[in-house]
Amino acid sequence: MSISRCKLLLLASICLLALVLSGCGLGKMAREHQQANGGPIDLRLAYHLPESHYLAQGMERFAARVNERSGGSIRIKTYPAGQLFTDKSMNDAILSGGLDMGLNSTAMWTTIVPALNVLDVPFVLHSYDAVARAMDGSLGRTLTNEMDKKGVHPLIWVDYGYVQFCNNVRPLKEPEDFRGLELRGYGQIPAETIKALGASPVTMSSAEVYMAMQRGTVDGQTSGTTAMYQRRIYEVGKYLTMTNHAYCEFVLAMSGAAWDRLTEKQKQLIEQAAVETRDEIRQQAKEEDLAAMEKLKEAGMEVYTIPPEDIPKWQAATMSVRENFIRQLGDLGRQLVDQCLAAN
């Protein structure tokens, strides 16, 4: 073999290696090499919500804060609207270290961390203030510990809002009013709640709900008021009951590998920026919930809000759901429920 041909083969091998490294997204190898040589740490933050959503805007503010305050030692690049990962594929990417951080609903984490189902247990957190106390206190610490066990580090719990019921048959002012209805739920515990109230749970995607209610395939559904308004449910649903029976949370989580690459100073900087963002979103979530309720009312829906003194009656009607959750998780389930109730 000639010397010139050897040189060509060597050059081709070097190019192939470079392509492999770049194909890993600069992957972990390149990022670790970058850090070892004193370069900035590049972190990718993904979320599936559209950029116009207030949670998405919060993530953009968070990234901007970290980038500015770190003086360039940390560079967070955001990937909105499912550009990098969908809500279904994101968690596996975080667990494997293929994604540094992501914002996803706790509902999408429950198969990995069943303790997160506690947020769907009906009537255990009675107010926005109770949710804040629980998530900033013992409940939040317990859930963080459960995620840490899986190699994932939650930075903050991000409020989305309360879950309500709507239907197009009759006002739902008492638990007994649910009997005979067919209602779409969004998961296992929401389905158990619907069944406990005497209705029949129906499984379908959120995109199918409007047409199903319009055609009478289902009588109603359960979701937050913001989702109801965005999906124009007021066009096919007559009655909205503000039950505040469950609470939707998102979590901004980092892969354990990405978290461990940071210095203590960098971790503190990121946590401070995250907490500031959390507090802004928390206030906004409450405002968005109530504003959407008013818009639904203005659009013609009849709105009924459960008075605080009636909550024990609704708790009793759905107690089987709480008991089943505790039975499945044992001592941990009891601890989680008690932590919720103590925050009220």
Side-chain angles (χ1 to χ4, degrees), residues 52 80 116 298:
S52 59
L116 291 168
E298 291 169 5

Side-chain angles (χ1 to χ4, degrees), residues 30-342:
R31 292 198 298 271
E32 289 170 0
H33 175 77
Q34 186 181 44
Q35 182 183 2
N37 285 275
I41 295 178
D42 289 320
L43 299 173
R44 296 180 302 166
L45 165 57
Y47 55 88
H48 70 279
L49 296 165
E51 292 178 85
S52 59
H53 196 280
Y54 67 92
L55 294 190
Q57 293 168 358
M59 292 304 98
E60 295 298 327
R61 292 195 302 272
F62 162 72
R65 283 173 173 142
V66 173
N67 293 344
E68 179 182 355
R69 295 175 187 179
S70 70
S73 70
I74 304 173
R75 298 185 303 201
I76 298 178
K77 180 173 175 57
T78 59
Y79 295 86
Q83 289 177 10
L84 201 58
F85 294 100
T86 66
D87 56 346
K88 293 182 179 179
S89 62
M90 183 186 304
N91 296 348
D92 285 340
I94 293 173
L95 287 165
S96 68
L99 176 65
D100 301 307
M101 62 176 71
L103 177 75
N104 210 357
S105 71
T106 55
M108 298 303 296
W109 280 102
T110 53
T111 55
I112 300 167
V113 186
L116 291 168
N117 275 315
V118 71
L119 296 169
D120 274 325
V121 174
F123 301 103
V124 294
L125 289 168
H126 303 165
S127 68
Y128 293 96
D129 288 341
V131 172
R133 285 191 293 268
M135 300 310 294
D136 293 350
S138 60
L139 178 66
R141 289 191 293 272
T142 301
L143 295 177
T144 294
N145 184 56
E146 291 300 304
M147 291 196 75
D148 278 332
K149 290 177 182 177
K150 302 296 183 180
V152 180
H153 181 73
L155 285 172
I156 47 171
W157 304 99
V158 183
D159 289 6
Y160 185 83
Y162 269 110
V163 181
Q164 322 295 349
F165 282 107
C166 75
N167 83 105
N168 53 22
V169 177
R170 56 179 172 265
L172 305 177
K173 298 183 178 182
E174 303 288 340
E176 294 77 16
D177 295 330
F178 282 74
R179 291 175 184 168
L181 298 180
E182 292 192 359
L183 303 174
R184 181 260 178 182
Y186 56 86
Q188 176 191 344
I189 292 185
E192 289 181 22
T193 301
I194 291 169
K195 193 172 182 179
L197 289 167
S200 299
V202 178
T203 301
M204 64 176 61
S205 73
S206 59
E208 298 175 281
V209 172
Y210 182 99
M211 192 68 70
M213 289 183 66
Q214 187 179 54
R215 293 176 175 175
T217 307
V218 296
D219 299 310
Q221 58 104 50
T222 179
S223 71
T225 53
T226 55
M228 289 185 203
Y229 188 74
Q230 290 166 357
R231 296 172 190 149
R232 306 176 72 86
I233 296 298
Y234 54 84
E235 294 180 347
V236 292
K238 299 177 183 177
Y239 308 103
L240 168 62
T241 302
M242 299 292 288
T243 52
N244 285 3
H245 63 278
Y247 201 83
C248 289
E249 285 278 344
F250 277 58
V251 57
L252 175 59
M254 286 190 71
S255 74
W259 181 250
D260 291 341
R261 293 207 318 270
L262 302 173
T263 66
E264 287 304 313
K265 185 176 180 180
Q266 288 171 331
K267 289 177 180 178
Q268 291 174 7
L269 186 153
I270 285 179
E271 285 180 333
Q272 181 180 5
V275 168
E276 290 178 27
T277 306
R278 177 203 68 193
D279 291 345
E280 291 170 352
I281 292 175
R282 176 173 290 163
Q283 181 60 36
Q284 198 169 1
K286 180 179 179 180
E287 293 170 355
E288 293 280 346
D289 259 6
L290 299 177
M293 180 195 72
E294 291 298 328
K295 290 177 183 177
L296 292 168
K297 185 187 296 184
E298 291 169 5
M301 292 190 79
E302 181 181 312
V303 179
Y304 175 76
T305 301
I306 293 177
E309 60 270 21
D310 280 0
I311 288 177
K313 175 172 35 179
W314 291 81
Q315 286 177 317
T318 57
M319 188 58 67
S320 61
V321 182
R322 184 192 303 184
E323 291 172 345
N324 189 46
F325 172 77
I326 293 172
R327 185 162 48 250
Q328 289 178 346
L329 271 71
D331 291 341
L332 176 59
R334 170 62 65 186
Q335 177 186 352
L336 291 164
V337 168
D338 288 345
Q339 287 171 338
C340 288
L341 295 173

